[in-house]
Amino acid sequence: MSVPVLNKDIKYLPGVGPKRAKLLREELSITTYEDLLYYFPYKHVDRTTFHQVRDITPGMSNIQLQGKIVKFELAGKPNKRRLIGYFSDDTGIIELVWFRGIQWIRKSYEVNRTYVVFGKPTLFNQKVNMVHPEVESLENYQGKIQQGFEAHYQTTERLKKHYINSRTLRKLQNNLLQEVKDEITESLPSGLVEELKLMPLNQALLNIHFPKDQEMLRKASYRLKFEELFYIQLNILQYKNQRIQRFNGFVFQQVGNLLNTFYHDHLPFPLTNAQKRVLKEIRKDLGSGQQMNRLLQGDVGSGKTLVALMSILIALDNGYQACIMAPTEILAIQHLHSIRKFVNQLPVSVRLLTGSTPQGERREIHDQLQRGELQLLIGTHALIEDTVQFYNLGLVVIDEQHRFGVAQRARLWKKNTNPPHILVMTATPIPRTLAMTAYGDLDVSVIDELPPGRKPVKTAHFYESKRYRVIEFMRKMIHQGRQIFIVYPLITESEKLDLKALEEGYDNILRHFPPPKYAVSVVHGKMRPEEKDRSMELFVQGKTHIMVATTVIEVGVDVPNASVMIIENAERFGLSQLHQLRGRIGRGRFQSYCVLMSSDKLSGEAQKRLQTMVRTTDGFEIAEADLKIRGPGDIEGTQQSGIPFEFKIANITRDNELLKVARNMAMQILEEDPELKQEKNQILAEQLQAIANKKKNYSVVS
Ligand code: ADP
Ligand code: MG
């Protein structure tokens, strides 16, 4: 909206001034008229009707009365004074009660003047009264821009200290709308407004702050939510179009030797249908002439690595190099192992580069890369460094995207004259709604099928007080020949405490499962690597029954005979982490069990997390639940992703359907007019420009 009055500094608004302007800026980031106008209420209270005093009952929620204070009276002991105002309408009298601000109340309100009173009736000394009601003169009440539902605004402690509360903000909105309401111009094309029967912008802004009634409020909110979601989608989709136009992708036309040989001679098991489908999607991208930017979602254990490898073989067959970037060294090493296992009979050169690669080796790798002798490089962030130069990088695979910032992705792009194709893999399934916004410029492929023969893990939640039953269960499983993981949380800030918990837990386990009859491995981050490897190896070979470990095994070993996982202090893990951990079992032919141990006292949120884990093994459902419990801003990694998740009005979980409408609309418009050059779309181009100017960090760099 390029209405000059809306750009005015908030300090010029009647009722604000420099002091309050500073507070509003510091506490709510409100600096202009427009900022305030778009500071939306978090709830509305019905003030459309007046009640009569004789009808009041103590169970009522907030109600509104109109009448006069006929008398004031001080009551109570000197150190516990209260002020009573006897409030009367034509039907009866009710007591208004104040415990604080007595002097001020007494001075501000006059006997026998007409007031509008708002509050919740309560029962006190067998009488219905109203404690600390809102009181407003009738003139004031009628002077409001529009009556009906009352908006309530979020403020902060500091603002409240300076008497800027919800009511103050309402007054300011009132002043603001008086001044600007006739100057607000429409911000969506008229065709769109008509087609979706949207409330015009000026009406919507008026009614979100001062709704006439429920229906007007609903329409206002719908319109403003739509607009917010629509422009985000339009922005993302247009960006994506431009990216496609701006860059040519390398064309991988050849179906070459490596892929063929691998597929026919070395594929260890038939691909699942989902893997086949996804591979087809990737191959289409790679041959299209446009740069691929694809997100590969697939639950833990769904076989993403194999898909990545086969995509890589296509790149190599066409004379290009490839790389895989993982967020941690352990993950990178794990990729190296599984890739090497797959290609050990093929002429493919693979190496590992991480932060701990020695200088000499590093130099060698750099040389080989630049000469094109090294075909596939697997590693961590170390790959991004400027010293890492490829001869001809054609495909980048990024694992666990959510842990990488968007800017890091961009840096990998620059490793060739044309940007390489990008395949982003994530094991944390991102709910569709979030993906549509956060990764809206990526195409999405989903592996929604696990390899055959996997039995879903059975999960139960046990409180500490029932530990003896868990011990019995463990004994039973060991006697059946199974192995058991026991996992402890290890969170850096309290590393010492956590280690202590693990050590105590280990001692406890030894007491219940003493040698020589039983053998227990222990693995944690503070051990020397050789020790760790040896301990792990014993477990892998089936020589120990139990492995007590910190979350290092989250990404570690593959032990099909380990069919039980006990997660200690499960309440301290996030949902996606629990899901990842649980993915370590259920890989063999045995029924597997996951036991979530928790302390007896749990927060509501923790309770919900554990219940979710017990209810389902479906990663998508878990991710949806996570989103609902925590809200989108909290989903791991989205905070660094550079996308604004602080919606002003829309709610990404609740407004799912509207998001789809907005996205489809944006697509439709861009399909018809990709550059928004048509007359009727002028307004869209301007709005996008305004958004871009306002938030430089808003754009989605991929
Ligand atoms: P993730 O998607 O979690 O990265 P992985 O790629 O590590 O999963 O695969 C999990 C396990 O399943 C690996 O041991 C892998 O070899 C195996 N696997 C992958 N694809 C198949 C398949 N089509 N049939 C059977 N096993 C498979
Ligand atoms: Mg994996």
Coordinates of all heavy atoms in Angstrom, one line a residue, residues 301 304-305 331 334-335 399-400 425 427, ligand 2:
G301 N 14.6 -44.8 7.5 CA 14.6 -46.2 7.0 C 13.9 -46.5 5.7 O 13.7 -47.6 5.3
K304 N 16.3 -43.6 1.5 CA 16.6 -42.4 0.7 C 18.0 -42.5 0.1 O 18.3 -42.0 -1.0 CB 16.5 -41.2 1.6 CG 15.1 -40.9 2.0 CD 15.0 -39.6 2.8 CE 15.7 -39.6 4.2 NZ 15.1 -40.6 5.1
T305 N 18.9 -43.1 0.9 CA 20.3 -43.2 0.5 C 20.5 -43.8 -0.9 O 21.2 -43.4 -1.8 CB 21.2 -44.0 1.5 OG1 20.8 -43.6 2.8 CG2 22.6 -43.7 1.3
L331 N 27.2 -38.7 10.6 CA 26.3 -39.0 9.5 C 27.0 -39.1 8.2 O 26.7 -40.0 7.3 CB 25.2 -37.9 9.4 CG 23.8 -38.2 9.8 CD1 22.9 -37.0 9.7 CD2 23.3 -39.4 9.0
Q334 N 28.7 -42.4 8.0 CA 27.7 -43.4 7.8 C 27.3 -43.5 6.3 O 27.2 -44.5 5.7 CB 26.4 -43.1 8.6 CG 25.6 -44.4 8.9 CD 24.2 -44.0 9.2 OE1 23.9 -42.9 9.6 NE2 23.3 -45.0 9.0
H335 N 27.2 -42.3 5.7 CA 26.9 -42.3 4.2 C 28.0 -42.9 3.4 O 27.8 -43.7 2.5 CB 26.7 -40.8 3.8 CG 25.3 -40.3 4.0 ND1 24.2 -41.0 3.5 CD2 24.8 -39.2 4.6 CE1 23.1 -40.3 3.8 NE2 23.5 -39.3 4.5
D399 N 21.8 -33.9 2.9 CA 21.0 -34.7 3.8 C 20.6 -33.9 5.0 O 21.3 -33.0 5.5 CB 21.8 -35.9 4.3 CG 20.9 -37.0 4.9 OD1 19.7 -36.9 4.8 OD2 21.5 -38.0 5.4
E400 N 19.4 -34.2 5.5 CA 18.9 -33.5 6.7 C 18.9 -32.0 6.5 O 19.5 -31.3 7.3 CB 19.8 -33.9 7.9 CG 19.8 -35.3 8.2 CD 18.6 -35.8 8.9 OE1 17.9 -35.1 9.6 OE2 18.3 -37.0 8.7
M425 N 17.5 -34.0 1.0 CA 16.8 -35.2 1.7 C 16.5 -34.8 3.1 O 17.3 -34.3 3.8 CB 17.7 -36.4 1.7 CG 18.2 -36.8 0.3 SD 18.8 -38.5 0.3 CE 20.3 -38.3 1.3
A427 N 14.8 -36.6 6.7 CA 14.2 -37.7 7.4 C 13.1 -37.2 8.3 O 12.3 -38.0 8.7 CB 15.3 -38.5 8.2
Ligands
MG2 MG 19.6 -41.7 6.0

